[in-house]
PDB file of all heavy atoms in Angstrom:
ATOM      1  N   ASN A  34     232.233  -2.684  62.516  1.00 53.00           N
ATOM      2  CA  ASN A  34     231.645  -2.305  63.787  1.00 53.00           C
ATOM      3  C   ASN A  34     231.656  -3.440  64.796  1.00 53.00           C
ATOM      4  O   ASN A  34     231.047  -3.375  65.822  1.00 53.00           O
ATOM      5  CB  ASN A  34     230.223  -1.758  63.584  1.00 53.00           C
ATOM      6  CG  ASN A  34     229.329  -2.788  62.931  1.00 53.00           C
ATOM      7  OD1 ASN A  34     229.819  -3.737  62.341  1.00 53.00           O
ATOM      8  ND2 ASN A  34     228.027  -2.591  63.051  1.00 53.00           N
ATOM      9  N   ILE A  35     232.401  -4.480  64.458  1.00 51.00           N
ATOM     10  CA  ILE A  35     232.556  -5.585  65.403  1.00 51.00           C
ATOM     11  C   ILE A  35     234.029  -5.639  65.791  1.00 51.00           C
ATOM     12  O   ILE A  35     234.887  -5.803  64.943  1.00 51.00           O
ATOM     13  CB  ILE A  35     232.184  -6.931  64.741  1.00 51.00           C
ATOM     14  CG1 ILE A  35     230.792  -6.874  64.120  1.00 51.00           C
ATOM     15  CG2 ILE A  35     232.287  -8.055  65.746  1.00 51.00           C
ATOM     16  CD1 ILE A  35     229.658  -6.713  65.091  1.00 51.00           C
ATOM     17  N   ASN A  36     234.344  -5.452  67.035  1.00 53.00           N
ATOM     18  CA  ASN A  36     235.762  -5.428  67.395  1.00 53.00           C
ATOM     19  C   ASN A  36     236.295  -6.834  67.615  1.00 53.00           C
ATOM     20  O   ASN A  36     235.569  -7.824  67.504  1.00 53.00           O
ATOM     21  CB  ASN A  36     236.014  -4.500  68.580  1.00 53.00           C
ATOM     22  CG  ASN A  36     235.447  -5.046  69.876  1.00 53.00           C
ATOM     23  OD1 ASN A  36     235.095  -6.216  69.966  1.00 53.00           O
ATOM     24  ND2 ASN A  36     235.350  -4.190  70.872  1.00 53.00           N
ATOM     25  N   LYS A  37     237.591  -6.891  67.932  1.00 54.00           N
ATOM     26  CA  LYS A  37     238.259  -8.194  67.973  1.00 54.00           C
ATOM     27  C   LYS A  37     237.675  -9.113  69.049  1.00 54.00           C
ATOM     28  O   LYS A  37     237.758 -10.316  68.959  1.00 54.00           O
ATOM     29  CB  LYS A  37     239.749  -7.989  68.202  1.00 54.00           C
ATOM     30  CG  LYS A  37     240.416  -7.322  67.009  1.00 54.00           C
ATOM     31  CD  LYS A  37     241.923  -7.288  67.141  1.00 54.00           C
ATOM     32  CE  LYS A  37     242.559  -6.673  65.906  1.00 54.00           C
ATOM     33  NZ  LYS A  37     242.768  -5.247  66.021  1.00 54.00           N
ATOM     34  N   LYS A  38     237.095  -8.524  70.097  1.00 53.00           N
ATOM     35  CA  LYS A  38     236.511  -9.354  71.158  1.00 53.00           C
ATOM     36  C   LYS A  38     235.069  -9.719  70.845  1.00 53.00           C
ATOM     37  O   LYS A  38     234.394 -10.338  71.649  1.00 53.00           O
ATOM     38  CB  LYS A  38     236.570  -8.606  72.480  1.00 53.00           C
ATOM     39  CG  LYS A  38     238.005  -8.466  72.984  1.00 53.00           C
ATOM     40  CD  LYS A  38     238.042  -7.610  74.232  1.00 53.00           C
ATOM     41  CE  LYS A  38     239.502  -7.317  74.597  1.00 53.00           C
ATOM     42  NZ  LYS A  38     239.637  -6.028  75.241  1.00 53.00           N
ATOM     43  N   GLY A  39     234.582  -9.287  69.666  1.00 54.00           N
ATOM     44  CA  GLY A  39     233.217  -9.636  69.291  1.00 54.00           C
ATOM     45  C   GLY A  39     232.184  -8.627  69.735  1.00 54.00           C
ATOM     46  O   GLY A  39     231.024  -8.740  69.396  1.00 54.00           O
ATOM     47  N   GLY A  40     232.601  -7.595  70.486  1.00 58.00           N
ATOM     48  CA  GLY A  40     231.664  -6.559  70.911  1.00 58.00           C
ATOM     49  C   GLY A  40     231.580  -5.470  69.866  1.00 58.00           C
ATOM     50  O   GLY A  40     232.226  -5.529  68.836  1.00 58.00           O
ATOM     51  N   LYS A  41     230.770  -4.471  70.122  1.00 75.00           N
ATOM     52  CA  LYS A  41     230.638  -3.335  69.204  1.00 75.00           C
ATOM     53  C   LYS A  41     231.821  -2.396  69.411  1.00 75.00           C
ATOM     54  O   LYS A  41     232.018  -1.886  70.508  1.00 75.00           O
ATOM     55  CB  LYS A  41     229.343  -2.583  69.500  1.00 75.00           C
ATOM     56  CG  LYS A  41     228.103  -3.378  69.156  1.00 75.00           C
ATOM     57  CD  LYS A  41     227.530  -2.896  67.845  1.00 75.00           C
ATOM     58  CE  LYS A  41     226.257  -3.658  67.514  1.00 75.00           C
ATOM     59  NZ  LYS A  41     225.916  -3.544  66.114  1.00 75.00           N
ATOM     60  N   ALA A  42     232.604  -2.171  68.351  1.00 89.00           N
ATOM     61  CA  ALA A  42     233.691  -1.200  68.442  1.00 89.00           C
ATOM     62  C   ALA A  42     233.108   0.200  68.339  1.00 89.00           C
ATOM     63  O   ALA A  42     232.107   0.414  67.664  1.00 89.00           O
ATOM     64  CB  ALA A  42     234.686  -1.437  67.318  1.00 89.00           C
ATOM     65  N   LYS A  43     233.761   1.148  69.018  1.00 95.00           N
ATOM     66  CA  LYS A  43     233.330   2.536  68.949  1.00 95.00           C
ATOM     67  C   LYS A  43     234.531   3.409  68.670  1.00 95.00           C
ATOM     68  O   LYS A  43     235.633   3.117  69.134  1.00 95.00           O
ATOM     69  CB  LYS A  43     232.713   2.955  70.292  1.00 95.00           C
ATOM     70  CG  LYS A  43     231.329   2.401  70.517  1.00 95.00           C
ATOM     71  CD  LYS A  43     230.756   2.880  71.818  1.00 95.00           C
ATOM     72  CE  LYS A  43     229.312   2.423  71.938  1.00 95.00           C
ATOM     73  NZ  LYS A  43     228.753   2.694  73.255  1.00 95.00           N
ATOM     74  N   MET A  44     234.297   4.477  67.929  1.00 97.00           N
ATOM     75  CA  MET A  44     235.365   5.443  67.705  1.00 97.00           C
ATOM     76  C   MET A  44     235.587   6.251  68.975  1.00 97.00           C
ATOM     77  O   MET A  44     234.637   6.735  69.580  1.00 97.00           O
ATOM     78  CB  MET A  44     234.992   6.393  66.564  1.00 97.00           C
ATOM     79  CG  MET A  44     235.229   5.810  65.203  1.00 97.00           C
ATOM     80  SD  MET A  44     234.949   7.048  63.922  1.00 97.00           S
ATOM     81  CE  MET A  44     233.159   7.060  63.880  1.00 97.00           C
ATOM     82  N   LYS A  45     236.859   6.400  69.332  1.00 97.00           N
ATOM     83  CA  LYS A  45     237.189   7.176  70.529  1.00 97.00           C
ATOM     84  C   LYS A  45     238.101   8.327  70.121  1.00 97.00           C
ATOM     85  O   LYS A  45     239.200   8.110  69.606  1.00 97.00           O
ATOM     86  CB  LYS A  45     237.894   6.274  71.537  1.00 97.00           C
ATOM     87  CG  LYS A  45     238.130   6.960  72.858  1.00 97.00           C
ATOM     88  CD  LYS A  45     238.781   6.004  73.857  1.00 97.00           C
ATOM     89  CE  LYS A  45     239.308   6.815  75.032  1.00 97.00           C
ATOM     90  NZ  LYS A  45     240.561   6.310  75.551  1.00 97.00           N
ATOM     91  N   LEU A  46     237.630   9.547  70.352  1.00 98.00           N
ATOM     92  CA  LEU A  46     238.403  10.747  70.007  1.00 98.00           C
ATOM     93  C   LEU A  46     239.147  11.250  71.236  1.00 98.00           C
ATOM     94  O   LEU A  46     238.551  11.418  72.299  1.00 98.00           O
ATOM     95  CB  LEU A  46     237.440  11.837  69.515  1.00 98.00           C
ATOM     96  CG  LEU A  46     238.043  13.237  69.323  1.00 98.00           C
ATOM     97  CD1 LEU A  46     239.017  13.269  68.157  1.00 98.00           C
ATOM     98  CD2 LEU A  46     236.928  14.272  69.118  1.00 98.00           C
ATOM     99  N   THR A  47     240.453  11.481  71.074  1.00 98.00           N
ATOM    100  CA  THR A  47     241.228  12.148  72.134  1.00 98.00           C
ATOM    101  C   THR A  47     242.026  13.278  71.496  1.00 98.00           C
ATOM    102  O   THR A  47     242.267  13.272  70.279  1.00 98.00           O
ATOM    103  CB  THR A  47     242.199  11.175  72.842  1.00 98.00           C
ATOM    104  OG1 THR A  47     242.998  10.517  71.856  1.00 98.00           O
ATOM    105  CG2 THR A  47     241.448  10.143  73.648  1.00 98.00           C
ATOM    106  N   PHE A  48     242.443  14.246  72.310  1.00 98.00           N
ATOM    107  CA  PHE A  48     243.184  15.395  71.759  1.00 98.00           C
ATOM    108  C   PHE A  48     244.037  16.030  72.845  1.00 98.00           C
ATOM    109  O   PHE A  48     243.735  15.900  74.031  1.00 98.00           O
ATOM    110  CB  PHE A  48     242.216  16.434  71.176  1.00 98.00           C
ATOM    111  CG  PHE A  48     241.066  16.789  72.069  1.00 98.00           C
ATOM    112  CD1 PHE A  48     241.172  17.837  72.969  1.00 98.00           C
ATOM    113  CD2 PHE A  48     239.880  16.055  72.017  1.00 98.00           C
ATOM    114  CE1 PHE A  48     240.105  18.158  73.807  1.00 98.00           C
ATOM    115  CE2 PHE A  48     238.819  16.379  72.857  1.00 98.00           C
ATOM    116  CZ  PHE A  48     238.930  17.425  73.742  1.00 98.00           C
ATOM    117  N   LYS A  49     245.116  16.692  72.388  1.00 98.00           N
ATOM    118  CA  LYS A  49     245.972  17.398  73.354  1.00 98.00           C
ATOM    119  C   LYS A  49     246.603  18.610  72.688  1.00 98.00           C
ATOM    120  O   LYS A  49     246.976  18.560  71.505  1.00 98.00           O
ATOM    121  CB  LYS A  49     247.060  16.466  73.891  1.00 98.00           C
ATOM    122  CG  LYS A  49     248.027  15.976  72.830  1.00 98.00           C
ATOM    123  CD  LYS A  49     249.235  15.268  73.432  1.00 98.00           C
ATOM    124  CE  LYS A  49     250.229  14.904  72.344  1.00 98.00           C
ATOM    125  NZ  LYS A  49     251.337  14.087  72.742  1.00 98.00           N
TER     126      LYS A  49
END
Side-chain angles (χ1 to χ4, degrees):
N34 59 342
I35 306 294
N36 70 14
K37 293 188 177 92
K38 291 175 188 149
K41 292 258 182 198
K43 285 182 174 172
M44 279 187 283
K45 186 178 166 217
L46 171 69
T47 53
F48 48 90
K49 63 169 185 187

